[in-house]
Amino acid sequence: MTPRPYDRVLLFMGVLSVRGFPSSLRERLESLFGKISIVTEPFPFSFTDYYVPEMGDGIERFFIAFEDLVSPDQLAAIKTETDMIEGEYAEDGERKINLDPGLITEGSVILATTKNRAHRVAIGCSLYAEVTLIYHSHGFESFPWTYADYRSAEVQSILLDFRRRYLSLRKLTMESI
C-alpha cells in the first residue's frame, strides 16, 4: 500500500504576552510560517497565575491563524522555532511572550508541548502533542487535561471561527486540485 500524504491543517498560535504583538514578531512569524490571516483581540489572561512569576502582571491572551495550510507532521519543527523566538523576546532570561502553536483539523484542536504526560504522544525533537479539544455535535468538547482557557466559551468561540476558516480553505484547496 502506498502511503498517502497527510491532509493539510490550519496552523494557529495561542499567544500570551505582556508586550502586545510587536510588528517585529509578526514579521518573524510570517517569514517562517506564511501570512497571518487572523489576529484576535487580546483579553486578560486570568485563567491561572502560572505564568505571572516569569512574565509579570498584565498578561494578555490572543490568537493568530495563518493563511496557508500546513502538513501536521511539521508541528515539532514549528514548536522548535517558536521556542527559539520566545527566547529572543525574553528579558533577563524570562519570557515576556509565550507562543503555543497548534493545529486545527476537522475534528480536533491539537497543541504542541515540551512536557510529557500520559495523554501526550512524542512527535520528535523532544516534543509532544495532545488532542486538547474534539469537535462533536456542533461544538468542542474538552478533556480532564484541557487547559482552563481552552475550556472557556470565549476561546472555544475563537477556535470554532478558526475551524470554519479551515474548512473553507480546505474546500478551496480540494477544488483547485
Side-chain angles (χ1 to χ4, degrees):
M1 180 173 192
T2 304
R4 293 182 343 182
Y6 291 113
D7 290 335
R8 296 178 78 71
V9 296
L10 182 76
L11 172 63
F12 79 97
M13 290 180 195
V15 182
L16 295 174
S17 178
V18 293
R19 300 287 182 254
F21 191 24
S23 60
S24 62
L25 175 59
R26 182 180 184 132
E27 290 167 8
R28 180 76 188 280
L29 292 172
E30 288 186 332
S31 73
L32 291 169
F33 309 119
K35 186 174 185 206
I36 294 171
S37 59
I38 302 169
V39 179
T40 66
E41 290 295 319
F43 56 91
F45 184 75
S46 57
F47 299 95
T48 178
D49 60 358
Y50 176 84
Y51 296 96
V52 172
E54 180 179 17
M55 297 181 78
D57 291 322
I59 301 171
E60 291 186 312
R61 161 72 86 192
F62 61 94
F63 291 87
I64 60 177
F66 293 84
E67 190 171 282
D68 297 329
L69 300 181
V70 300
S71 179
D73 63 353
Q74 296 301 304
L75 186 57
I78 292 166
K79 177 68 173 160
T80 299
E81 290 284 349
T82 59
D83 283 355
M84 287 191 298
I85 293 168
E86 287 177 359
E88 294 168 15
Y89 286 85
E91 295 175 8
D92 299 321
E94 295 188 332
R95 292 179 299 175
K96 300 303 174 190
I97 294 175
N98 180 325
L99 302 168
D100 290 322
L103 305 174
I104 294 188
T105 72
E106 184 173 358
S108 62
V109 173
I110 300 163
L111 296 178
T113 181
T114 60
K115 299 170 198 77
N116 187 16
R117 300 290 184 269
H119 60 278
R120 294 177 176 160
V121 177
I123 57 172
C125 304
S126 298
L127 297 168
Y128 303 87
E130 74 171 32
V131 175
T132 299
L133 298 167
I134 60 168
Y135 184 80
H136 180 73
S137 298
H138 308 289
F140 285 117
E141 292 183 11
S142 62
F143 299 98
W145 57 79
T146 301
Y147 298 113
D149 53 336
Y150 281 80
R151 280 190 229 126
S152 74
E154 182 175 17
V155 169
Q156 287 189 17
S157 176
I158 290 167
L159 296 175
L160 284 169
D161 285 342
F162 285 8
R163 181 181 178 274
R164 283 188 283 276
R165 173 147 178 74
Y166 164 65
L167 293 175
S168 176
L169 286 170
R170 190 177 76 170
K171 182 179 177 186
L172 288 173
T173 301
M174 299 297 271
E175 288 173 357
S176 67
I177 294 177

